Every structure is written in structure tokens, then in C-alpha cells.
Amino acid sequence: VQLQASGGGLVQTGGSLTLSCAASGRTLSRDTVAWFRQAPGQEREFVSAIFRSGGTTYYADSVKGRFTITRDSAKNEVYLQMNSLKPEDTAVYYCAIGSRLILSSIRTPGQYDYWGQGTLVTVSS
């Protein structure tokens, strides 16, 4: 299983970016797919997830209303649309998949089975 995260870059405050997570060797619609991020010197934190059953979405409070996670089953990709970006959104963003997650554990990095390599998002002030 390989996950490829892409779409990061440098953007000004208030700008937008769309991250993509592409999978090979795995059907993403059968898994819970999440985005986490890690800023320098900080722990990896949950950003958003789309649950395997029914596609219910979840967001960290810090991004709710600004970020949207979607899944394209035909392309086997998951996206994170990020709007109204702030400097505090600067981090390496990782996508991850988990096959046996329960709802209460979707925010826990250790519960995910596979991780992408990360893509850097830098928001300038």
C-alpha cells in the first residue's frame, strides 16, 4: 500500500490550497481516510477525516468551516480543500488510512495503518 500526498505549497494568508491523497494497492472508499498535520516542534495533530462507513466527515475545531474533505471513489483519491488559510495552518500535512477505526479513535495517529510521505503547506502572513 502506498499513499501519495500532494498539493502543498506557499500561499498568502486568506488563500486556498487543495491537497490530494492518492492510494495504490488500496481502495480508499473501504477505509477511513484522515489528514493530520505537524508543525515544527509540535506533535502531529488531527485535521480531518472521512469515515469509511457512510462517508461522514469530521474536522478539528481549528479548521471547521474552512477545510473540506472529500473522496473521489472513481479516482481512488481523497482531497482536502483548504480555504481562508492562516499562518498557523503552516505544517507538513499527511494523509493516513485506517481499516478498523472506530469513531472514537479517528483523531489518534496511532490507530492508522498507512501514512503518506507528507506535503508542506506554508502560509505567509
Side-chain angles (χ1 to χ4, degrees):
V1 177
Q2 288 189 329
L3 297 179
Q4 180 74 35
S6 61
L10 174 64
V11 64
Q12 292 185 334
T13 296
S16 299
L17 283 174
T18 300
L19 305 184
S20 299
C21 178
S24 58
R26 196 83 170 191
T27 301
L28 290 183
S29 60
R30 298 177 181 174
D31 292 308
T32 295
V33 183
W35 288 94
F36 287 80
R37 66 186 181 187
Q38 188 166 19
Q42 297 187 19
E43 294 185 353
R44 193 166 296 189
E45 66 170 352
F46 172 81
V47 175
S48 180
I50 184 164
F51 202 59
R52 68 181 187 280
S53 300
T56 305
T57 57
Y58 301 90
Y59 299 92
D61 288 343
S62 59
V63 306
K64 201 172 294 184
R66 300 188 297 122
F67 291 11
T68 303
I69 188 170
T70 56
R71 180 167 55 205
D72 187 328
S73 297
K75 293 184 177 180
N76 204 32
E77 294 185 358
V78 169
Y79 308 100
L80 185 69
Q81 173 69 43
M82 305 186 296
N83 299 325
S84 302
L85 283 162
K86 305 175 181 179
E88 51 263 43
D89 295 318
T90 295
V92 177
Y93 283 70
Y94 300 88
C95 61
I97 60 175
S99 59
R100 295 175 299 276
L101 285 165
I102 58 176
L103 184 56
S104 60
S105 63
I106 61 170
R107 290 174 167 79
T108 306
Q111 296 298 314
Y112 288 80
D113 303 312
Y114 301 99
W115 290 81
Q117 84 290 0
T119 184
L120 177 62
V121 172
T122 303
V123 184
S124 63
S125 57

